Amino acid sequence: MSVSLDQLQAFVVAAETGSFSAAARRLRKAQSAVSTQISNLEEDLGLALFSRAGRSPSLTPAGERLLLEARVILDRREHLIGVARSFEAHVEQRLVVAIDEIYPEQAMAEVFAEFARHFPHVELELLFPMMEDVSRLVLTGQADIGVMWRQEILPTELGFQTLGWVPIKMVCGKQHPLANVRVDWEDLKRHRQILVAARNDGPEKQRLRVAPEVWWVESHWVILQLVRQGIGWAFVSSHVIKASPVAADLAIPELQFDDFDLPVAVELVWHKQRPCGPAAKWLRERFAAIRI
Amino acid sequence: MSVSLDQLQAFVVAAETGSFSAAARRLRKAQSAVSTQISNLEEDLGLALFSRAGRSPSLTPAGERLLLEARVILDRREHLIGVARSFEAHVEQRLVVAIDEIYPEQAMAEVFAEFARHFPHVELELLFPMMEDVSRLVLTGQADIGVMWRQEILPTELGFQTLGWVPIKMVCGKQHPLANVRVDWEDLKRHRQILVAARNDGPEKQRLRVAPEVWWVESHWVILQLVRQGIGWAFVSSHVIKASPVAADLAIPELQFDDFDLPVAVELVWHKQRPCGPAAKWLRERFAAIRI
DNA sequence: ACTCATCTATCTGAAATTTAGATGGCAACT
DNA sequence: AGTTGCCATCTAAATTTCAGATAGATGAGT
């Protein structure tokens, strides 16, 4: 059988250390063993991986290209061993998390980066259900965990925990009539408001509605594009505004009223009756530990 | 060294054939060799891959999961050998193709599906440069091949070949004033036209402009969303209209004039002075062979 | 120019691994 | 009950891998 994992490992370590001798030391093998393995690999593949022109071998173009492939294979082999290890530890094999767009992306990215380090062999699916209710996904079992903004009433089957509050800003285009004034409630009512569309009706759809004339758009990104064009104004969480490519073309005028409850609560939800594995448990605790 | 490719192969073939004996026959090895390899693999991984309760072994849950990983590793090993083979054949390692959105996606998908079969080890990068000139990408070497609509003058360094003609339709919202009339030239001028925005100015930016009042939008998809809202009308290629989720809400009124050159030519472009490898050659011939 | 250190390739013999073949025990089928 | 096909175990042989010794080449330092 040609091309063994040992050969690939000798090849990769030699490339990384810069010499067969150093690779042999790293692998705790005789230098000749490494030399022979690499020579055999080159014979099996039918090309040179290293040029031996000088004292130190250097990778050929083919060697550089195949190094990437070899690394992938060795990584996958480690991954397979890791998957086997996770069976021993009874860690979930797969986790589905539904997250509303309102959760700050940076904090989320940090959570999942750490999750990846802790549970490298758990298959993760992240849903961003713009057009679906996060709590319903968790209720029906389509998601294991949900992160969403507060609804008036959650089904009693769901457990929840408040993670924090996300500030919402009123935003419009720089040429919009409201761009350079201190905006009051009547001002907001007089101009078209652009709201996030949800495909299922519910109280959350009307939650931030102020104006009688509204547009519904299915993406915050497109909302900001439209707002930039002066078509209307919108309430958008500040992290979404920051992340938008058109942020520089937007105005965030000052509001005259202070009693409007602009920050909205962000909740973590899960199904009380479904058992929680170590990965889901870790994730819940990690979300809860981060103040947003 | 634990977990060898031979072990993984014995495992995968045994899973596929349903028995160690059949795997041994497939692999032209003694049945005991296969049995031993699988047992050694299970010992290395620390878990059972097969249940031996009956006469035929059956995969355990761990075995089913690890079978997927093992297959990936064996596939990657074959891929590595394939990459080595492509070096022998002097096939390009990488190809960048810039394609204007006007090229019908279905035909393109078929071309690249076939390309993937012919050149499985060529790294392909597809650019859809909405905001950049395809011919300039090819001229500057950022793309090896370009597919674009005809410009008035191409730089002399570029070779080109006409692939065909794409019909362009005038489209508006169903509530737009032009929706239910036979539209003439003056009608078009009187209403806002929405055009594809390009970040660099050039003659192609104004190519389809008819109306004095225009909007520029960076995406055909968003153009159609805006057209649907009755904000204006647009010229859009018919395959883009068909692919849009809002196609049902659009009107395509009949035009009174017949001499307008609505179909636009689609060109394949390449740099005359840059050598063309077998993968690029194949791709050019394949694009040329498809009538659109 | 000389010396020294480090490198790779080759060779030999030993160790480790893999394999084929024989065999026993078990399950499923007829 | 008899037959067939399977897996696990054992033994001996074949193959592969390895360590260690060695020769020759290269590069750095003096």
Side-chain angles (χ1 to χ4, degrees):
Chain A
M1 168 76 68
S2 65
V3 184
S4 71
L5 287 169
D6 287 339
Q7 288 177 330
L8 294 179
Q9 187 175 34
F11 167 39
V12 167
V13 175
E16 286 172 358
T17 57
S19 79
F20 298 4
S21 302
R25 289 191 290 274
R26 171 88 70 81
L27 295 169
R28 301 197 191 286
K29 289 187 176 186
Q31 174 268 326
S32 54
V34 172
S35 176
T36 300
Q37 285 197 325
I38 291 173
S39 295
N40 287 345
L41 179 59
E42 286 175 323
E43 193 169 332
D44 290 338
L45 293 178
L47 46 66
L49 299 169
F50 288 100
S51 165
R52 277 90 154 164
R55 188 174 80 174
S56 295
S58 59
L59 283 167
T60 61
E64 291 192 6
R65 178 70 179 83
L66 291 170
L67 179 62
L68 306 180
E69 299 296 330
R71 280 195 175 118
V72 170
I73 295 174
L74 294 176
D75 283 346
R76 295 303 305 212
R77 194 265 305 263
E78 293 305 316
H79 182 74
L80 180 146
I81 294 174
V83 172
R85 292 276 159 70
S86 74
F87 268 92
E88 297 171 15
H90 300 292
V91 170
E92 301 97 313
Q93 299 302 304
R94 192 172 188 279
L95 205 57
V96 182
V97 183
I99 304 181
D100 192 80
E101 202 181 16
I102 202 164
Y103 192 84
E105 286 175 358
Q106 184 58 37
M108 179 183 68
E110 291 164 7
V111 169
F112 287 113
E114 195 177 344
F115 182 87
R117 289 193 291 274
H118 276 74
F119 302 95
H121 309 295
V122 173
E123 180 182 321
L124 189 70
E125 179 174 352
L126 296 181
L127 305 177
F128 297 97
M130 179 61 56
M131 277 67 72
E132 278 186 285
D133 185 7
V134 165
S135 63
R136 197 171 58 79
L137 289 171
V138 176
L139 192 62
T140 60
Q142 296 170 61
D144 299 298
I145 291 178
V147 178
M148 53 178 277
W149 60 352
R150 173 177 286 167
Q151 285 179 295
E152 296 301 322
I153 299 174
L154 279 173
T156 56
E157 294 92 331
L158 297 184
F160 66 93
Q161 178 173 5
T162 299
L163 303 182
W165 302 80
V166 169
I168 297 290
K169 302 287 186 183
M170 179 264 176
V171 66
C172 62
K174 287 192 165 176
Q175 310 304 325
H176 193 276
L178 300 181
N180 300 303
V181 298
R182 288 187 79 234
V183 174
D184 65 17
W185 198 254
E186 295 304 312
D187 289 327
L188 294 181
K189 283 181 169 179
R190 275 197 289 275
H191 293 272
R192 178 186 294 124
Q193 180 180 6
I194 305 179
L195 281 157
V196 177
R199 286 190 188 155
N200 57 304
D201 285 320
E204 78 283 355
K205 184 165 181 174
Q206 306 287 343
R207 172 131 168 71
L208 290 176
R209 181 170 181 170
V210 172
E213 184 179 2
V214 297
W215 277 14
W216 304 96
V217 178
E218 290 185 344
S219 161
H220 276 119
W221 184 83
V222 175
I223 287 178
L224 291 179
Q225 295 278 357
L226 297 177
V227 161
R228 173 202 195 197
Q229 303 294 344
I231 294 173
W233 64 270
F235 285 133
V236 178
S237 62
S238 51
H239 76 275
V240 172
I241 298 170
K242 281 182 193 129
S244 173
V246 299
D249 296 324
L250 301 175
I252 304 179
E254 196 173 346
L255 302 178
Q256 284 190 11
F257 44 89
D258 292 332
D259 59 341
F260 189 64
D261 190 7
L262 282 184
V264 296
V266 177
E267 312 276 356
L268 183 75
V269 296
W270 64 90
H271 202 296
K272 286 173 182 170
Q273 290 156 11
R274 229 170 285 121
C276 182
K281 188 170 185 295
W282 182 94
L283 197 54
R284 279 169 48 186
E285 288 168 356
R286 199 66 189 80
F287 267 119
I290 293 182
R291 287 293 140 210
I292 61 174
Chain B
M1 165 80 69
S2 65
V3 183
S4 73
L5 288 168
D6 287 340
Q7 288 178 330
L8 294 179
Q9 186 175 34
F11 168 39
V12 167
V13 175
E16 285 172 358
T17 57
S19 80
F20 297 5
S21 302
R25 290 191 290 273
R26 169 87 70 83
L27 296 169
R28 301 195 190 286
K29 291 187 176 186
Q31 173 267 326
S32 53
V34 171
S35 175
T36 301
Q37 286 196 324
I38 292 173
S39 294
N40 287 345
L41 179 59
E42 286 174 324
E43 192 169 332
D44 290 338
L45 294 178
L47 47 66
L49 298 168
F50 288 101
S51 166
R52 276 91 153 168
R55 188 173 80 173
S56 295
S58 57
L59 282 167
T60 60
E64 291 192 9
R65 177 70 178 84
L66 293 170
L67 179 62
L68 306 180
E69 300 295 331
R71 280 197 175 116
V72 170
I73 295 174
L74 294 176
D75 283 346
R76 295 303 307 207
R77 194 267 305 260
E78 294 304 316
H79 182 75
L80 179 146
I81 294 175
V83 172
R85 292 276 159 69
S86 75
F87 266 91
E88 296 173 14
H90 301 291
V91 170
E92 302 98 311
Q93 297 304 303
R94 192 171 189 279
L95 205 58
V96 181
V97 184
I99 303 181
D100 193 80
E101 200 181 20
I102 201 165
Y103 192 85
E105 289 176 356
Q106 184 56 38
M108 178 184 69
E110 291 164 7
V111 168
F112 287 112
E114 195 177 344
F115 181 87
R117 290 192 291 276
H118 277 74
F119 301 96
H121 308 294
V122 173
E123 180 182 323
L124 189 71
E125 179 174 352
L126 297 179
L127 306 177
F128 298 96
M130 179 61 56
M131 278 66 72
E132 277 186 283
D133 185 6
V134 165
S135 62
R136 197 172 55 81
L137 289 172
V138 176
L139 190 63
T140 59
Q142 297 169 60
D144 299 298
I145 292 178
V147 179
M148 52 180 277
W149 60 352
R150 171 178 287 168
Q151 286 180 293
E152 296 300 326
I153 300 173
L154 278 173
T156 56
E157 294 94 328
L158 298 184
F160 65 93
Q161 177 174 4
T162 300
L163 302 181
W165 301 80
V166 168
I168 298 291
K169 302 287 188 184
M170 179 263 174
V171 65
C172 61
K174 287 192 167 176
Q175 309 304 325
H176 193 277
L178 300 181
N180 300 302
V181 299
R182 291 188 76 237
V183 173
D184 65 16
W185 197 255
E186 294 306 310
D187 288 326
L188 295 181
K189 285 180 170 179
R190 273 196 292 276
H191 293 272
R192 178 186 293 119
Q193 180 181 7
I194 305 179
L195 281 156
V196 177
R199 286 187 188 157
N200 56 307
D201 285 320
E204 76 284 352
K205 185 165 179 174
Q206 307 286 341
R207 171 131 169 70
L208 289 175
R209 181 169 182 172
V210 171
E213 184 179 359
V214 297
W215 277 14
W216 305 96
V217 179
E218 289 184 347
S219 162
H220 275 119
W221 184 84
V222 176
I223 285 177
L224 291 179
Q225 295 279 357
L226 297 178
V227 162
R228 174 202 194 194
Q229 303 296 343
I231 293 172
W233 63 271
F235 285 132
V236 178
S237 64
S238 51
H239 75 275
V240 171
I241 299 170
K242 280 182 192 128
S244 173
V246 299
D249 296 325
L250 300 176
I252 305 178
E254 195 173 346
L255 301 179
Q256 283 190 11
F257 45 89
D258 292 332
D259 61 340
F260 189 65
D261 191 10
L262 281 184
V264 296
V266 177
E267 313 276 355
L268 183 74
V269 296
W270 63 91
H271 201 295
K272 286 172 183 171
Q273 292 155 10
R274 228 173 285 119
C276 182
K281 185 171 185 295
W282 182 95
L283 197 53
R284 279 169 48 186
E285 290 169 356
R286 198 65 188 81
F287 269 119
I290 293 182
R291 287 292 141 213
I292 61 174

